[in-house]
Amino acid sequence: MSVQAASSKINLPHVNLAVVGARGVGKSTFIQCALDMKHPPLSRSCTKKMSLEGVVYVVRLLEISLQEITFDGSEHLVWPQSLDDQALPIIDGVIVLHDVTNPSSITECSRILSECYPILGSCVVVFNGVIFSLYLLRCIPTI
């Protein structure tokens, strides 16, 4: 039984987090490590049941490239409508990855960082000798 099928019977709360970054920055590797997967993800939407302070959640990590994100006339962030031919769920938070050894990487992420608030947490992560900054953000709801 899939995580989604099991969670719908139990009615567990869902948390959808977008993992955003430039092409090749390590989004798939981050998802693989975060969800403790043995192999690289086959899909850009991966789920896992996780417990936090005694509450079990279904956490969905959605891999989204910077090139897929646009901005409307008011400069508000617009998510892609679908991911792997599936409707994109409501995004509860954003994990922004960028390569600190590449100055243009943070420039590319700056618009997303300015559209999301507050920074819930940030840290430096090292994948295969490359240093990344990671930000956990909450999205500004758009009407």
Side-chain angles (χ1 to χ4, degrees):
M1 182 180 298
S2 72
V3 170
Q4 192 169 14
S7 65
S8 64
K9 289 184 179 184
I10 303 170
N11 204 20
L12 297 174
H14 285 69
V15 177
N16 299 308
L17 301 173
V19 178
V20 176
R23 184 172 180 251
V25 79
K27 296 179 298 293
S28 296
T29 302
F30 174 82
I31 291 170
Q32 180 180 354
C33 291
L35 298 182
D36 197 27
M37 300 168 70
K38 290 182 171 57
H39 304 285
L42 297 175
S43 169
R44 293 174 49 203
S45 174
C46 299
T47 58
K48 183 173 184 175
K49 287 195 289 188
M50 297 182 166
S51 177
L52 177 64
E53 296 182 356
V55 178
V56 178
Y57 295 87
V58 175
V59 176
R60 177 179 290 124
L61 298 181
L62 303 149
E63 182 180 329
I64 302 175
S65 174
L66 286 175
Q67 291 76 17
E68 296 177 276
I69 297 171
T70 59
F71 292 85
D72 65 16
S74 301
E75 292 301 305
H76 289 110
L77 188 144
V78 178
W79 295 107
Q81 296 207 0
S82 63
L83 193 65
D84 291 340
D85 297 325
Q86 300 269 329
L88 192 72
I90 294 171
I91 303 295
D92 299 309
V94 183
I95 299 170
V96 180
L97 298 176
H98 75 93
D99 178 354
V100 297
T101 64
N102 178 357
S104 67
S105 178
I106 188 61
T107 304
E108 293 174 16
C109 296
S110 64
R111 286 179 80 188
I112 292 169
L113 293 171
S114 68
E115 281 296 309
C116 298
Y117 79 97
I119 293 182
L120 301 173
S122 63
C123 64
V124 175
V125 178
V126 178
F127 279 135
N128 297 327
V130 179
I131 301 171
F132 299 90
S133 290
L134 182 146
Y135 303 92
L136 181 57
L137 308 161
R138 185 172 57 86
C139 290
I140 299 171
T142 55
I143 299 174

